[in-house]
Each structure stands twice: as structure tokens, then as C-alpha cells.
Amino acid sequence: MHLPHQRGPLHDLPDTPEAYDAILADVTEQALARITPDGNLEHPDAVDDIGDTSLGITSLLAFAWQRTGDPRLPQAVRRSLAFHLRERVYTEDNPGYPNLKVRNSRLPYARYTLAAGAHPIGDWPSTVWALLQTVNLLDMTDGLVDDEQRTDVLELAHGYWRWLTEATFFNPQEAGNQAIGCVVGGLMLARHLPEGQGEGVRARALELYADKIRAHRVRDRGALLPPEHGGAYDNNYGPISLSFLAQAHRISGEETFAEDGDTLARYIDARLTTGGFDTGGPRYSEQHSGFESVLGLRYFSRRIGSDLGRYRGDTRWGRHAAQADGGIDGHFAWMLIWQIQDATRWHREPATAAARHQLRSGTVSVAFDDRMTPAVVEAGGTYYLPAAVNRQHGFGPVTDGFLHCRPMGEVRVRDLRADGLTAKLVTKPVVGRDHVLRHVRSLYITDGTRLWMTVAVERLPGSPYLLAGLPYAADDGDRVRRVATGEVRAAGELRLTHPEAECTDHFDARSETTQELAAFALAADPRGYGNPDEGWRHLVASTALEAGPAPCASGDLHVFAVCYGAEGPFSPEFELGEQGLTVRTEGFTAVIGEPAGDERGEPLLTLRG
């Protein structure tokens, strides 16, 4: 089976003017065939996220008219715009909406679901999206609609802004992408209002960004990030936030948006594998955005000088939002317009500078979490997630059911490149259940095709082994396929184990249950509202690679050595001397210094091919 949401890298989608003209031509024909006598352009199957969709297609038709002058489009734009103004603008409070600060304000808003009281919680983001559709139309309707209709659109946009910022609590779902989108709407609206009024809206938008978004950023992997549904980052919404930051910088010129976008972009770059696989987040642990991410990934890939377009998006939404039959939906239409308007082109080369939470060379990569434990290992086209044992998750030595990967003190990192090799040494002080402090030294070395992992720790009691990952997925053309095995060798005995219990909190990679589905099943709240990562942390056991200690290591240490990736010999040798632990394999010789490190306590590492 294939993972449903991670498909092709987004930079593989053509983004030439000719490609975009073809997209707009297809949208035009779909819209003209769909439009009802009263001007409705909504997809007939749309139910949720519907309040802005007809207006979104209207904006695409206006944009297409700007580019082509197609004489069929002005009437369609006017009719569909009249439909939205007449049928899709709500001024009576939605029954059950919980986030109002002012009742009966009579300000306009857009509904997530059209039926009164059916699902009011989504009205705030739906109104943000409707605001963005209206301000996009204001940029494109000169000469296309009459003054009365244009005035109605401007008043509607201003009313949406006031409902979002006066009648309700700002950002009630704690969703960074929605909040930054609202700020973008205010910045774009300000350009169309009379001078004094426009300056006030712009100032309020910048104030909201500073006080309600930027001041509440969450730290993850060394970066301060806009919070997303209660977490620091979501692999669906995080790149969408990056697109909003790109648009905010494009239209305002405010360097804060560029600086924060650079930070988020470098974070995304560090967590993305070479193949573009990513998993994790407080809302959808495996779902990925498509065209909504292109603007931000492309804009900031150029700014930070790294290939962010390798991000595997959901290419079913590669061009625009679509329903199950592939027909255009209209949701997020402004993002397609912005990416066409932006002249930035993809930066396709990976960054070469070392990054603390990343090791990457060739087709091999390791993304590290906050504790400098691998979050994803990629080698040989296979992706390995942290395995679980006895409710503990990660990569590291295990003895008597205890996983030694949670640091008790400062984690030290040393990066090194030599003779075509890229290496990272991570040193962690770890306390076991016996209350003994041990130093776990993990060395990761790659030649771009293979990854060698060597882990040394003061001798452990019992029969220890290295928890070396959960083989989970592999590249399969432009898709990602579920797997339960990988190409791995070890210096000691290597076992691939599967949990014996058949229950929700035991994850067997041979099953067809995805990590996402298992995580939601373990989460406290319903799918789409809970935190799947939090649910996944309740996992008791999983499929796991378990590597026994190397038989020839020093009597004072347990040493574990694993090689992921290409086939070939793997017969490492170890020698403990005054300089530290020498590791010799067919591909390199490395010396891992003593845990005390140099005069500043930093790890010592030498390497040669």
C-alpha cells in the first residue's frame, strides 16, 4: 500500500507561465460549465470549507481575464460575485458559535458549513479565507465590474476584517496558518481603503502579528515557530504558514516576515529528509498540503539557499483544491494566484552548511528531534521512524526494557566533513533506572549512499541491544510505499521484531494501519481535533530493529554498530586507546573522543576515509 498524502516533490510540478496558463484555461472551462443560473460556482459535492469557494473560483476567473482577456469571463465574474454577495454573506450570529466577543454585531462572516449551527467552530478560518478571496478580487476587478459592485466588495472585505478582529477572539483555534492569513488579509485590504483608514488597518494587522502570533511562538529544534493547533509545527499547516509569511513580506516589505520565514524555512529544511518525507504535527501527522505550500517553499528556498521543493506534497491538490472527482473546489484559490504572480523560481540545490538537527549527504539523511535523537532516518530509499519499547520511543541502547536516549543534562554535538564523508557525533548524559549516569556517544557517518551508526556507552548490565528504528516507508517513484523491512546490517546479532499483542497501542509495521491512523486511534480527542503526535506517544511497542552489541568491543564499553543502505561488506573493528574509541570499517576510520571532550567539554572526533 502507498501512503495516501505524501506523493511527488512539489518542485517537480511545472511552474512556467505556459503551465499556469493551461491551469487557468482548465479552471475557466470547468467554471463556465458549472455556473448555475443564479451564479453559483460551488462544487456540488462540497459541504465543509464551503463558505469561500464560489468566491475563490470567481477570483480565478477574474485573474484569467486579466491574463487572457477572454470575452466570456466578465459576465461570469459579475454573476458569480453577485451570487456571493446575495447568498453567502451572513450577518446574523451562527447559533452555537462559541468565540464571539460581541453578539449581534451585524458584521459579515463566512460559514464553514452553510446550515445554521451545523459546524460553527470553523467560521473563523472560513472568514479569513473569504477575506483573502475578496481582497484578491479588489486587486483584479478594475474595468471588470461596475463601481457599485466593487464598492460592495470593498465594504464586505472591511466587514470581514472587523468581524475577525473585533467581534470574535483572534485566532481561537491557535492555528498559526489561519492567524497569519488574517494578517495578510488586513495588509492587502489596507491598500484599498482611504488613506487614514488604510493606515489604521495596516497598523492593526502588524500589531496582531507582533502581539498575538510572534509573541506566542513555540520553540522546537532550536527554532521559534508560529504555534499550530497547540504545537510548534505541523507538516500540513507549517508550510502553509510559510506561504502566508512569503505573501506578507511581498506585499508589506516588513523584514519581520522575512526573518520569521527564514527561521521557519530553515527548520523545515532540517526536518525534511533528502527524499522529502516528513511526519508529525499536532493536527495531521501524515497529511501534506499541495499547491498551498508552493509559494512559501519556493520563495524561501531562494532566500535561504536550499532545496525546500523536495517536500513531498499531496499532488492531488498540486494545482488547486479539488473534490474527490478531481473537479476544482475554489478553496484557497488566492494561493494559486499568489504563486503565479510571484516571479521567484525554485532553488534546487541542497544547503551544504552543517545544521545541528540535520545530517544530510547524497541520498542519506537523518532528522533529529529536540533531544538529538533521530526523528527520521533515510537510507537506501527507506525511511525509519523511532521504534517503541516499553512505552519509550527513540533510537538508543536498551537494557532491561529501559531505553537510554533521554538526556539528563546538556547534549553536545560535533559536525565534521572529511574525504567525502559527512559525520555527526552526539554525546548525551543519560541516567538509567539504576540511577547510574552514563554517556551515550552516537556517531553518524555517511558517504551519501550508506549510513553508519555507532553507539558507545559505559558497560550496561544484562543483555543490552540497540533499538535501531522502525522501518516504515520507502520511495516508490512519485509515491511513498509502506514497508516493514529495510536494508540494514549490524556488527552484532540483528533482529527484526514485531509486537505480539494485537491491540491499538502495539504497532505492527506489517499491518495496513498507517502511523497516522494509529496515532489518531490513541489520541484523546476526535480525528481532526486531537493531537496525533500526543496519541502516538501512548504507543507501548512497535516493530523494531534490534542490534546486539559488537562482540569485539572493549570490556569497559558496550558498542553497537549498524549500517543502513547499500549492500556491501560490514565488518567493523573497535579499539579503545588513550585518544578514545577507534572505529574502523570498510568505508572510514574514526576516533570518538572520551566523554569529557576538549577543554570546553565539546566532543572530540577525527575522521578519514
Side-chain angles (χ1 to χ4, degrees):
M1 62 175 288
H2 290 100
L3 297 182
H5 304 291
Q6 297 199 42
R7 296 173 182 247
L10 289 181
H11 64 28
D12 286 352
L13 296 169
D15 63 344
T16 62
E18 293 77 16
Y20 285 131
D21 284 338
I23 295 164
L24 291 173
D26 175 62
V27 168
T28 295
E29 297 308 319
Q30 284 194 54
L32 293 178
R34 176 189 300 173
I35 192 168
T36 64
D38 63 355
N40 188 353
L41 285 168
E42 292 162 359
H43 192 286
D45 294 337
V47 176
D48 296 341
D49 264 324
I50 192 174
D52 68 305
T53 59
S54 180
L55 194 61
I57 298 179
T58 303
S59 69
L60 289 173
L61 295 181
F63 188 52
W65 177 79
Q66 271 195 337
R67 291 169 69 89
T68 66
D70 187 332
R72 300 175 297 170
L73 296 180
Q75 184 187 21
V77 168
R78 294 165 194 154
R79 283 172 56 204
S80 59
L81 186 53
F83 167 79
H84 182 85
L85 292 168
R86 184 179 65 250
E87 303 290 342
R88 293 296 181 260
V89 177
Y90 298 87
T91 56
E92 293 183 359
D93 295 348
N94 199 351
Y97 185 71
N99 301 313
L100 290 176
K101 293 165 59 178
V102 180
R103 292 185 60 193
N104 302 315
S105 69
R106 307 299 297 175
L107 291 170
Y109 67 94
R111 286 187 177 172
Y112 177 80
T113 300
L114 299 181
H119 191 24
I121 196 68
D123 289 355
W124 201 86
S126 289
T127 304
V128 174
W129 311 152
L131 168 64
L132 291 169
Q133 311 286 23
T134 57
V135 293
N136 253 12
L137 275 165
L138 288 170
D139 284 346
M140 298 181 296
T141 49
D142 282 342
L144 185 57
V145 302
D146 60 32
D147 290 345
E148 181 180 356
Q149 201 170 43
R150 180 177 172 79
T151 297
D152 289 343
V153 174
L154 179 58
E155 290 178 353
L156 177 62
H158 196 196
Y160 282 152
W161 170 255
R162 292 189 59 204
W163 187 87
L164 290 163
T165 60
E166 298 174 22
T168 74
F169 287 94
F170 183 80
N171 191 21
Q173 295 184 22
E174 297 183 355
N177 74 98
Q178 299 172 10
I180 304 171
C182 182
V183 168
V184 170
L187 294 171
M188 295 182 71
L189 170 64
R191 303 182 304 178
H192 296 282
L193 293 170
E195 184 174 350
Q197 203 173 33
E199 289 175 357
V201 169
R202 176 186 168 92
R204 178 64 172 146
L206 296 175
E207 177 187 43
L208 286 168
Y209 183 75
D211 296 345
K212 298 294 187 179
I213 303 171
R214 200 166 196 268
H216 296 277
R217 288 175 298 170
V218 179
R219 186 176 295 278
D220 186 50
R221 306 186 195 190
L224 283 171
L225 307 171
E228 189 56 67
H229 287 285
Y233 176 83
D234 183 283
N235 57 21
N236 181 25
Y237 294 119
I240 296 174
S241 284
L242 194 65
S243 287
F244 283 129
L245 288 169
Q247 180 68 359
H249 183 242
R250 288 180 66 233
I251 63 174
S252 73
E254 293 287 337
E255 281 303 303
T256 297
F257 298 120
E259 293 166 3
D260 292 353
D262 289 349
T263 298
L264 177 54
R266 291 191 180 98
Y267 172 89
I268 293 173
D269 186 46
R271 69 177 291 145
L272 274 184
T273 56
T274 298
F277 177 87
D278 185 24
T279 185
R283 188 72 184 273
Y284 296 114
S285 61
E286 285 190 80
Q287 291 198 32
H288 281 57
S289 49
F291 77 102
E292 317 101 292
S293 299
V294 168
L295 173 64
L297 294 170
R298 193 176 66 190
Y299 190 83
F300 285 100
S301 73
R302 181 64 57 183
R303 281 187 56 90
I304 70 169
S306 191
D307 176 20
L308 300 181
R310 68 187 189 278
Y311 173 89
R312 283 186 177 271
D314 189 338
T315 51
R316 293 171 298 183
W317 276 36
R319 297 307 195 180
H320 50 67
Q323 288 288 332
D325 63 359
I328 187 169
D329 179 87
H331 188 47
F332 271 52
W334 23 267
M335 202 70 89
L336 174 59
I337 292 171
W338 297 345
Q339 67 166 277
I340 297 174
Q341 290 172 334
D342 179 49
T344 307
R345 298 278 69 86
W346 289 110
H347 181 96
R348 296 180 178 270
E349 299 299 320
T352 56
R356 179 178 174 89
H357 296 278
Q358 172 196 80
L359 174 73
R360 189 169 68 223
S361 177
T363 59
V364 173
S365 56
V366 184
F368 295 88
D369 64 17
D370 252 345
R371 304 177 303 188
M372 288 306 297
T373 297
V376 182
V377 168
E378 173 193 22
T382 299
Y383 302 100
Y384 303 85
L385 303 180
V389 57
N390 197 23
R391 302 183 186 275
Q392 303 158 95
H393 301 201
F395 289 74
V398 177
T399 181
D400 296 330
F402 183 83
L403 173 59
H404 296 258
C405 75
R406 291 169 300 282
M408 181 65 72
E410 192 66 26
V411 179
R412 310 284 187 133
V413 178
R414 174 73 186 276
D415 288 285
L416 191 63
R417 284 189 172 90
D419 301 332
L421 301 167
T422 305
K424 186 183 292 285
L425 174 61
V426 178
T427 301
K428 296 181 183 181
V430 174
V431 175
R433 289 214 167 98
D434 56 7
H435 289 241
V436 174
L437 177 69
R438 293 178 173 86
H439 294 83
V440 177
R441 289 172 288 166
S442 303
L443 176 62
Y444 308 86
I445 297 177
T446 179
D447 61 359
T449 59
R450 295 167 289 179
L451 174 70
W452 294 276
M453 180 192 298
T454 304
V455 179
V457 62
E458 289 91 344
R459 196 158 191 85
L460 296 162
S463 302
Y465 62 89
L466 180 73
L467 195 65
L470 158 64
Y472 179 69
D475 293 335
D476 186 14
D478 63 352
R479 299 294 302 275
V480 179
R481 177 172 46 87
R482 272 293 311 281
V483 297
T485 60
E487 199 170 275
V488 182
R489 288 153 292 153
E493 178 190 3
L494 181 66
R495 305 178 295 272
L496 179 63
T497 65
H498 304 284
E500 295 181 3
E502 296 183 7
C503 52
T504 307
D505 56 6
H506 288 65
F507 185 81
D508 190 330
R510 297 171 298 182
S511 74
E512 293 193 355
T513 299
T514 63
Q515 186 265 353
E516 176 185 337
L517 292 176
F520 269 118
L522 292 168
D525 296 304
R527 178 181 177 85
Y529 301 96
N531 183 338
D533 279 0
E534 189 176 86
W536 185 250
R537 285 192 285 272
H538 294 302
L539 193 70
V540 173
S542 73
T543 292
L545 288 161
E546 300 175 354
C552 54
S554 159
D556 296 331
L557 293 175
H558 269 126
V559 179
F560 308 88
V562 177
C563 181
Y564 303 82
E567 295 180 355
F570 182 55
S571 303
E573 299 177 354
F574 308 94
E575 180 183 344
L576 189 62
E578 291 184 1
Q579 300 302 313
L581 177 66
T582 299
V583 183
R584 295 186 180 89
T585 74
E586 294 75 11
F588 65 88
T589 298
V591 180
I592 303 172
E594 290 300 312
D598 61 16
E599 64 277 5
R600 294 176 296 129
E602 297 300 323
L604 290 166
L605 175 66
T606 60
L607 175 66
R608 66 176 184 273

